Amino acid sequence: MLDIETLCAADRDESPVKTVLTADQLAEGVGRLAIEAEAYYRGRPITILGVLTGSVVLVSDLIRRVNLPVRIGFVEASSYRGPSTAPGDLRLRVSPTPSIAGQHVLVVDDIFDTGHTMTALLAQLKELGPASLRSMVLLRKHGRKAVSMEPDHVGFEIPNEFVVGYGLDYQDGYRNLPYVAALEPGDIVDDNP
Ligand code: IMP
Ligand code: MG
């Protein structure tokens, strides 16, 4: 597994790690997502529900860019992966504070891969009676979708590679990288499915 110095050197073209999105590109994408949300909600108050843990960086940047009255809550979703990058059992903990009954809810996640996480989350949240329910993801992985829904707002479409940084992890590491990088197949214990 790569160490943090090697990954941080990627921005300086000193390591084999491939930068997929730079910090500047991410800032531009988050600004775009904020403008999309403003255009859709047109001044209405919204409740942003971040999906822990991967969305924390996006949520913290987004809430400072979006010019709407905003409440913030979090829900938990984890598809256990371990050293492999293949998704495992999906576990959800959905009991958001503040309450979402009657609220315009925007669910925010780091990445839409197969789509199983977002689909299951939206189904459970719908039971809690929001006035409206939409989804936003920073990244959408090309050619991986295994569900019928599409996220309502997408920051970037990326190739089918396992990526880390800006909230995304590999074995709980790398979430604090300020950019998004693809792990090389040799850095991953098992092959991507
Ligand atoms: P999905 O249910 O297949 O759409 O997977 C979504 C979840 O898997 C995301 O919320 C991430 O936690 C995780 N995930 C999917 N692809 C990646 C990746 O390339 N890097 C890090 N995490 C990922
Ligand atoms: Mg996640």
Side-chain angles (χ1 to χ4, degrees):
M1 193 163 163
L2 291 165
D3 57 52
I4 195 92
E5 286 78 20
T6 311
L7 277 163
C8 287
D11 261 358
R12 303 192 296 272
D13 285 341
E14 289 170 6
S15 87
V17 178
K18 200 170 97 200
T19 303
V20 176
L21 293 163
T22 65
D24 284 348
Q25 287 172 315
L26 289 164
E28 179 275 325
V30 174
R32 206 168 2 93
L33 288 172
I35 289 168
E36 278 186 29
E38 286 165 17
Y40 182 80
Y41 290 106
R42 285 177 289 126
R44 282 176 294 179
I46 63 169
T47 301
I48 287 178
L49 280 190
V51 183
L52 292 172
T53 304
S55 75
V56 291
V57 182
L58 171 61
V59 168
S60 68
D61 282 346
L62 180 73
I63 57 177
R64 288 174 290 173
R65 300 287 292 271
V66 75
N67 188 14
L68 292 168
V70 161
R71 303 190 314 159
I72 302 152
F74 288 95
V75 292
E76 284 177 45
S78 62
S79 37
Y80 178 71
R81 286 171 190 257
S84 159
T85 56
D89 289 343
L90 179 62
R91 287 180 212 152
L92 302 180
R93 263 189 36 199
V94 178
S95 49
T97 308
S99 152
I100 62 165
Q103 304 294 318
H104 295 289
V105 173
L106 180 62
V107 181
V108 175
D109 203 0
D110 51 2
I111 188 164
F112 188 96
D113 182 17
T114 64
H116 287 306
T117 303
M118 189 59 87
T119 302
L121 266 176
L122 293 182
Q124 288 204 19
L125 290 167
K126 201 172 167 203
E127 300 297 312
L128 302 177
S132 70
L133 189 56
R134 289 171 70 82
S135 56
M136 174 181 285
V137 293
L138 179 71
L139 309 175
R140 183 188 185 288
K141 230 184 252 189
H142 184 75
R144 292 271 302 163
K145 194 169 80 104
V147 296
S148 56
M149 71 159 289
E150 284 288 346
D152 297 299
H153 304 278
V154 176
F156 300 93
E157 176 100 13
I158 62 164
N160 181 14
E161 292 177 301
F162 196 80
V163 290
V164 295
Y166 200 76
L168 293 127
D169 75 305
Y170 175 58
Q171 293 198 270
D172 294 315
Y174 313 127
R175 291 194 199 273
N176 61 326
L177 294 177
Y179 56 90
V180 172
L183 289 187
E184 301 290 328
D187 304 326
I188 296 168
V189 175
D190 271 335
D191 286 340
N192 227 338

PDB file of all heavy atoms in Angstrom, residues 110-123:
ATOM      1  N   ASP A 110     -20.219  10.631  -1.880  1.00  0.00           N
ATOM      2  CA  ASP A 110     -18.972  10.856  -2.609  1.00  0.00           C
ATOM      3  C   ASP A 110     -19.019  10.285  -4.024  1.00  0.00           C
ATOM      4  O   ASP A 110     -18.603  10.930  -4.978  1.00  0.00           O
ATOM      5  CB  ASP A 110     -17.768  10.280  -1.832  1.00  0.00           C
ATOM      6  CG  ASP A 110     -17.962   8.822  -1.392  1.00  0.00           C
ATOM      7  OD1 ASP A 110     -19.013   8.216  -1.708  1.00  0.00           O
ATOM      8  OD2 ASP A 110     -17.055   8.293  -0.730  1.00  0.00           O
ATOM      9  N   ILE A 111     -19.546   9.065  -4.159  1.00  0.00           N
ATOM     10  CA  ILE A 111     -19.451   8.401  -5.475  1.00  0.00           C
ATOM     11  C   ILE A 111     -20.641   7.490  -5.697  1.00  0.00           C
ATOM     12  O   ILE A 111     -21.153   6.869  -4.766  1.00  0.00           O
ATOM     13  CB  ILE A 111     -18.108   7.619  -5.582  1.00  0.00           C
ATOM     14  CG1 ILE A 111     -17.876   7.080  -6.992  1.00  0.00           C
ATOM     15  CG2 ILE A 111     -18.003   6.507  -4.551  1.00  0.00           C
ATOM     16  CD1 ILE A 111     -16.430   6.655  -7.244  1.00  0.00           C
ATOM     17  N   PHE A 112     -21.088   7.453  -6.939  1.00  0.00           N
ATOM     18  CA  PHE A 112     -22.138   6.540  -7.380  1.00  0.00           C
ATOM     19  C   PHE A 112     -21.422   5.492  -8.212  1.00  0.00           C
ATOM     20  O   PHE A 112     -20.916   5.786  -9.298  1.00  0.00           O
ATOM     21  CB  PHE A 112     -23.149   7.324  -8.214  1.00  0.00           C
ATOM     22  CG  PHE A 112     -24.403   6.585  -8.603  1.00  0.00           C
ATOM     23  CD1 PHE A 112     -25.568   6.711  -7.855  1.00  0.00           C
ATOM     24  CD2 PHE A 112     -24.435   5.794  -9.738  1.00  0.00           C
ATOM     25  CE1 PHE A 112     -26.739   6.061  -8.229  1.00  0.00           C
ATOM     26  CE2 PHE A 112     -25.592   5.140 -10.123  1.00  0.00           C
ATOM     27  CZ  PHE A 112     -26.751   5.268  -9.370  1.00  0.00           C
ATOM     28  N   ASP A 113     -21.337   4.284  -7.668  1.00  0.00           N
ATOM     29  CA  ASP A 113     -20.591   3.219  -8.354  1.00  0.00           C
ATOM     30  C   ASP A 113     -21.630   2.282  -8.969  1.00  0.00           C
ATOM     31  O   ASP A 113     -22.124   2.533 -10.059  1.00  0.00           O
ATOM     32  CB  ASP A 113     -19.670   2.557  -7.336  1.00  0.00           C
ATOM     33  CG  ASP A 113     -18.796   1.456  -7.906  1.00  0.00           C
ATOM     34  OD1 ASP A 113     -18.651   1.394  -9.129  1.00  0.00           O
ATOM     35  OD2 ASP A 113     -18.246   0.653  -7.130  1.00  0.00           O
ATOM     36  N   THR A 114     -22.025   1.221  -8.256  1.00  0.00           N
ATOM     37  CA  THR A 114     -23.111   0.389  -8.785  1.00  0.00           C
ATOM     38  C   THR A 114     -24.464   1.077  -8.612  1.00  0.00           C
ATOM     39  O   THR A 114     -25.416   0.785  -9.328  1.00  0.00           O
ATOM     40  CB  THR A 114     -23.184  -0.964  -8.042  1.00  0.00           C
ATOM     41  OG1 THR A 114     -23.502  -0.723  -6.670  1.00  0.00           O
ATOM     42  CG2 THR A 114     -21.878  -1.731  -8.160  1.00  0.00           C
ATOM     43  N   GLY A 115     -24.555   1.975  -7.600  1.00  0.00           N
ATOM     44  CA  GLY A 115     -25.818   2.656  -7.317  1.00  0.00           C
ATOM     45  C   GLY A 115     -26.647   1.977  -6.240  1.00  0.00           C
ATOM     46  O   GLY A 115     -27.688   2.503  -5.833  1.00  0.00           O
ATOM     47  N   HIS A 116     -26.188   0.832  -5.750  1.00  0.00           N
ATOM     48  CA  HIS A 116     -26.972   0.109  -4.733  1.00  0.00           C
ATOM     49  C   HIS A 116     -27.122   0.927  -3.456  1.00  0.00           C
ATOM     50  O   HIS A 116     -28.192   0.937  -2.841  1.00  0.00           O
ATOM     51  CB  HIS A 116     -26.326  -1.242  -4.412  1.00  0.00           C
ATOM     52  CG  HIS A 116     -26.502  -2.252  -5.503  1.00  0.00           C
ATOM     53  ND1 HIS A 116     -27.736  -2.584  -6.016  1.00  0.00           N
ATOM     54  CD2 HIS A 116     -25.603  -2.993  -6.196  1.00  0.00           C
ATOM     55  CE1 HIS A 116     -27.591  -3.493  -6.965  1.00  0.00           C
ATOM     56  NE2 HIS A 116     -26.305  -3.750  -7.106  1.00  0.00           N
ATOM     57  N   THR A 117     -26.034   1.613  -3.033  1.00  0.00           N
ATOM     58  CA  THR A 117     -26.098   2.392  -1.787  1.00  0.00           C
ATOM     59  C   THR A 117     -27.152   3.490  -1.900  1.00  0.00           C
ATOM     60  O   THR A 117     -28.022   3.623  -1.023  1.00  0.00           O
ATOM     61  CB  THR A 117     -24.723   3.023  -1.485  1.00  0.00           C
ATOM     62  OG1 THR A 117     -23.746   1.993  -1.409  1.00  0.00           O
ATOM     63  CG2 THR A 117     -24.743   3.807  -0.186  1.00  0.00           C
ATOM     64  N   MET A 118     -27.089   4.280  -2.960  1.00  0.00           N
ATOM     65  CA  MET A 118     -28.023   5.401  -3.100  1.00  0.00           C
ATOM     66  C   MET A 118     -29.459   4.901  -3.241  1.00  0.00           C
ATOM     67  O   MET A 118     -30.382   5.461  -2.645  1.00  0.00           O
ATOM     68  CB  MET A 118     -27.613   6.263  -4.304  1.00  0.00           C
ATOM     69  CG  MET A 118     -28.367   7.552  -4.408  1.00  0.00           C
ATOM     70  SD  MET A 118     -28.191   8.630  -2.953  1.00  0.00           S
ATOM     71  CE  MET A 118     -26.712   9.551  -3.353  1.00  0.00           C
ATOM     72  N   THR A 119     -29.655   3.840  -3.998  1.00  0.00           N
ATOM     73  CA  THR A 119     -31.002   3.299  -4.188  1.00  0.00           C
ATOM     74  C   THR A 119     -31.604   2.862  -2.847  1.00  0.00           C
ATOM     75  O   THR A 119     -32.750   3.201  -2.522  1.00  0.00           O
ATOM     76  CB  THR A 119     -30.965   2.095  -5.160  1.00  0.00           C
ATOM     77  OG1 THR A 119     -30.407   2.541  -6.392  1.00  0.00           O
ATOM     78  CG2 THR A 119     -32.350   1.533  -5.415  1.00  0.00           C
ATOM     79  N   ALA A 120     -30.819   2.134  -2.057  1.00  0.00           N
ATOM     80  CA  ALA A 120     -31.320   1.642  -0.770  1.00  0.00           C
ATOM     81  C   ALA A 120     -31.562   2.798   0.194  1.00  0.00           C
ATOM     82  O   ALA A 120     -32.563   2.814   0.928  1.00  0.00           O
ATOM     83  CB  ALA A 120     -30.324   0.641  -0.176  1.00  0.00           C
ATOM     84  N   LEU A 121     -30.670   3.773   0.192  1.00  0.00           N
ATOM     85  CA  LEU A 121     -30.837   4.927   1.077  1.00  0.00           C
ATOM     86  C   LEU A 121     -32.098   5.707   0.744  1.00  0.00           C
ATOM     87  O   LEU A 121     -32.873   6.064   1.630  1.00  0.00           O
ATOM     88  CB  LEU A 121     -29.642   5.870   0.915  1.00  0.00           C
ATOM     89  CG  LEU A 121     -28.485   5.697   1.874  1.00  0.00           C
ATOM     90  CD1 LEU A 121     -27.363   6.650   1.487  1.00  0.00           C
ATOM     91  CD2 LEU A 121     -28.931   5.940   3.312  1.00  0.00           C
ATOM     92  N   LEU A 122     -32.303   5.995  -0.537  1.00  0.00           N
ATOM     93  CA  LEU A 122     -33.471   6.779  -0.935  1.00  0.00           C
ATOM     94  C   LEU A 122     -34.758   6.046  -0.559  1.00  0.00           C
ATOM     95  O   LEU A 122     -35.719   6.662  -0.104  1.00  0.00           O
ATOM     96  CB  LEU A 122     -33.439   7.086  -2.437  1.00  0.00           C
ATOM     97  CG  LEU A 122     -32.314   8.016  -2.920  1.00  0.00           C
ATOM     98  CD1 LEU A 122     -32.439   8.276  -4.415  1.00  0.00           C
ATOM     99  CD2 LEU A 122     -32.302   9.352  -2.175  1.00  0.00           C
ATOM    100  N   ALA A 123     -34.766   4.724  -0.717  1.00  0.00           N
ATOM    101  CA  ALA A 123     -35.968   3.947  -0.379  1.00  0.00           C
ATOM    102  C   ALA A 123     -36.273   4.079   1.110  1.00  0.00           C
ATOM    103  O   ALA A 123     -37.437   4.276   1.498  1.00  0.00           O
ATOM    104  CB  ALA A 123     -35.763   2.482  -0.759  1.00  0.00           C
TER     105      ALA A 123
END
